[in-house]
Amino acid sequence: MTNASVREFKMPDVGEGLTEAEILKWYVQPGDTVTDGQVVCEVETAKAAVELPIPYDGVVRALHFPEGTTVDVGTSIIAVEVAGGAAPAQEAAAAPAPAAEPEQPVEQPAARQPVLVGYGVATSSTRRRPRKQAQDPAAQQAASAVQSELNGHGAAPAAPAVPAAPAAPAAPAQRPLAKPPVRKLAKDLGVDLATVTPTGPDGVVTREDVHAAVAAAQASQQTAPEAQPAAPAASAPAAQPAAPASYDSGRETRIPVKGVRKATAAAMVGSAFTAPHVTEFVTVDVTRTMKLVEELKQDKEFAGLRVNPLLLIAKALLVAIRRNPDINAAWDEAAQEIVVKHYVNLGIAAATPRGLIVPNIKDAHARTLPELAASLGELVSTAREGKTSPSAMQGGTVTITNVGVFGVDTGTPLLNPGESAILAVGAIKPQPWVHKGKVKPRQVTTLALSFDHRLVDGELGSKVLADVAAVLEQPKRLITWA
């Protein structure tokens, strides 16, 4: 594989439970010298774009994947030759152990590789037993007899000696090693993983191995369609993954679904078909709120801060949550419990060049109005620059989506997975409104609140939406209700 002086840097899990990431850009090339902590590449996960630093000094020997490749977490992406020639700890731990007592578990797994970003990769924390090497038939029969005796079955009658036949070593039955996404792929394509030759580290079956097995099955069908009738499990469904139909590239554009878009699609489908959504609407006069926004822009406490209607809408929602705390909850399906959060991590849906993301302001309920303004400004600017970290998008409790910036009146937003409510804010427009008994032009908007009907009843959802509208209609309630 690699000599003792070469260290393999593996794709780390830069979020919680992420399984893959796309290499967006390499900042180094083979032959370049790198130092501990130097950023070597930028990757995009299902949540954000992240720069990866290398955790040791050395010279780049190889880049294992080109830009634009999606790589599984735990797969080596770059080889670095380090000074001194000492074998890295993970490689030493992976060295073949003595053959004696292979069943004895390892007392302490090797430490995770220090990757500086994310959770690192447990370099064989599962520490699978090395696969048994092929033994001679006599040794196998002896081991089988001893095991049968220990199991209480009695020793099996000794079989007559068999001439050496290395073509059929009869390896012990073992469940093929593969990650859950690869197993799903194999199931969808009708491929038996036991028939696939693994090429991944530690004998793990990869996506490429599954596709190679499908291609081999198709080729065999084309050359000898009647040669192997005894393998229906692999050959029959293998015809399904046919090449996509040709299309006119001048009239259509096909965009691979990956990264943030892939994660958003999965989250929205999961939300739509898991949580029973209910959406309520209210149209409200926000003229006084718009006047307050203009006044706050002149206040020295907000000097250098971005003050806009979203700031007061966020504060109004926080006040409504304080008055109706049960709205700030989550449904725990596994435990069959409703988890009421005593903190508010306020999510703000943000449209970015990479797609929709929902970073959140941690402990937004405890922030003053100037602090909330500063947090909103930082959140928006970071999202636009594509620098939002995965941790900033985890742990949200309730979300605001401002569709009004696109000029639409409102919408029926889908819940962010794990949350119970989301508030959509429509465009603020001058409209005829009855004010003090007369029809006058007023600044009006429409709010929409979607909530999870499993844990939020219509009464609770209506109270929250009515409170938000009341604060925006009379901003002085920010003081009286606080």
Side-chain angles (χ1 to χ4, degrees):
M1 202 162 134
T2 58
N3 59 46
S5 64
V6 175
R7 302 193 66 171
E8 298 287 344
F9 178 62
K10 299 181 179 181
M11 178 70 74
D13 179 2
V14 295
E16 293 183 353
L18 297 178
T19 60
E20 62 184 17
E22 178 187 356
I23 299 176
L24 294 180
K25 184 176 182 180
W26 283 109
Y27 295 118
V28 295
Q29 295 298 326
D32 291 351
T33 300
V34 294
T35 57
D36 187 358
Q38 177 180 341
V39 174
V40 295
C41 68
E42 181 182 20
V43 300
E44 182 182 42
T45 69
K47 298 182 178 181
V50 181
E51 292 182 334
L52 298 183
I54 199 78
Y56 29 74
D57 301 335
V59 178
V60 177
R61 182 168 182 177
L63 306 180
H64 297 320
F65 298 95
E67 295 176 355
T69 305
T70 299
V71 182
D72 289 337
V73 168
T75 302
S76 178
I77 59 175
I78 180 174
V80 177
E81 185 174 353
V82 297
Q90 62 181 24
E91 294 181 5
E101 298 182 3
E103 300 289 338
Q104 183 176 359
V106 179
E107 296 182 359
Q108 184 175 2
R112 285 193 173 194
Q113 183 181 1
V115 296
L116 303 181
V117 168
Y119 296 87
V121 178
T123 57
S124 201
S125 58
T126 55
R127 192 58 64 188
R128 305 184 183 95
R129 291 197 306 269
R131 295 185 173 181
K132 297 180 180 180
Q133 301 295 327
Q135 301 176 347
D136 60 89
Q140 289 185 352
Q141 290 180 7
S144 176
V146 172
Q147 186 62 46
S148 298
E149 186 68 30
L150 292 176
N151 290 342
H153 299 164
V162 180
Q174 183 173 349
R175 186 168 183 252
L177 304 178
K179 296 182 179 180
V182 178
R183 293 186 183 278
K184 183 178 185 302
L185 175 64
K187 181 178 179 181
D188 293 342
L189 299 181
V191 176
D192 183 2
L193 287 177
T195 65
V196 178
T197 302
T199 61
D202 296 330
V204 175
V205 178
T206 65
R207 286 189 177 89
E208 291 72 16
D209 298 335
V210 175
H211 287 300
V214 172
Q218 289 178 332
S220 63
Q221 280 188 336
Q222 293 174 358
T223 56
E226 299 180 357
Q228 298 182 4
S235 60
Q240 295 179 359
S246 60
Y247 66 97
D248 186 353
S249 60
R251 295 168 60 86
E252 297 179 3
T253 299
R254 292 179 176 263
I255 303 173
V257 179
K258 56 185 178 180
V260 175
R261 174 58 58 192
K262 182 178 180 180
T264 301
M268 292 299 96
V269 170
S271 175
F273 293 98
T274 301
H277 286 58
V278 173
T279 305
E280 295 185 337
F281 306 87
V282 64
T283 303
V284 58
D285 177 6
V286 295
T287 304
R288 292 186 178 91
T289 292
M290 299 303 292
K291 289 181 179 179
L292 180 57
V293 169
E294 296 303 319
E295 292 174 4
L296 292 178
K297 289 180 179 180
Q298 308 303 321
D299 194 314
K300 63 180 182 180
E301 294 293 331
F302 292 87
L305 298 177
R306 184 177 181 180
V307 180
N308 55 20
L310 180 61
L311 171 63
L312 295 184
I313 293 169
K315 193 64 176 179
L317 179 58
L318 292 172
V319 170
I321 293 173
R322 183 174 181 178
R323 287 167 54 85
N324 306 275
D326 288 345
I327 192 72
N328 189 45
W331 181 273
D332 189 337
E333 181 67 28
Q336 286 295 292
E337 295 176 339
I338 295 174
V339 184
V340 179
K341 311 293 180 66
H342 303 300
Y343 58 92
V344 181
N345 290 346
L346 182 61
I348 304 295
T352 71
R354 290 191 174 95
L356 175 68
I357 63 174
V358 188
N360 60 76
I361 301 173
K362 302 295 190 283
D363 294 323
H365 66 286
R367 299 178 186 267
T368 64
L369 198 59
E371 291 172 345
L372 190 60
S375 298
L376 277 171
E378 181 181 359
L379 179 148
V380 172
S381 61
T382 302
R384 288 177 176 174
E385 295 172 359
K387 301 297 184 181
T388 303
S389 65
S391 61
M393 291 181 282
Q394 297 167 357
T397 63
V398 67
T399 295
I400 296 176
T401 176
N402 185 10
V403 297
V405 296
F406 305 111
V408 300
D409 292 333
T410 190
T412 54
L414 292 178
L415 294 170
N416 203 30
E419 301 179 11
S420 63
I422 179 172
L423 179 70
V425 183
I428 300 176
K429 302 176 181 179
Q431 295 183 21
W433 195 264
V434 177
H435 179 67
K436 295 181 180 180
K438 296 181 181 180
V439 177
K440 297 182 179 180
R442 304 286 288 180
Q443 296 292 324
V444 177
T445 189
T446 300
L447 307 175
L449 182 72
S450 292
F451 50 86
D452 186 344
H453 216 346
R454 292 176 300 179
L455 63 157
V456 179
D457 295 331
E459 178 185 9
L460 176 58
S462 300
K463 285 182 176 180
V464 171
L465 184 58
D467 282 355
V468 174
V471 171
L472 296 178
E473 187 175 15
Q474 293 285 353
K476 65 182 180 182
R477 290 192 173 99
L478 289 172
I479 300 175
T480 59
W481 286 358

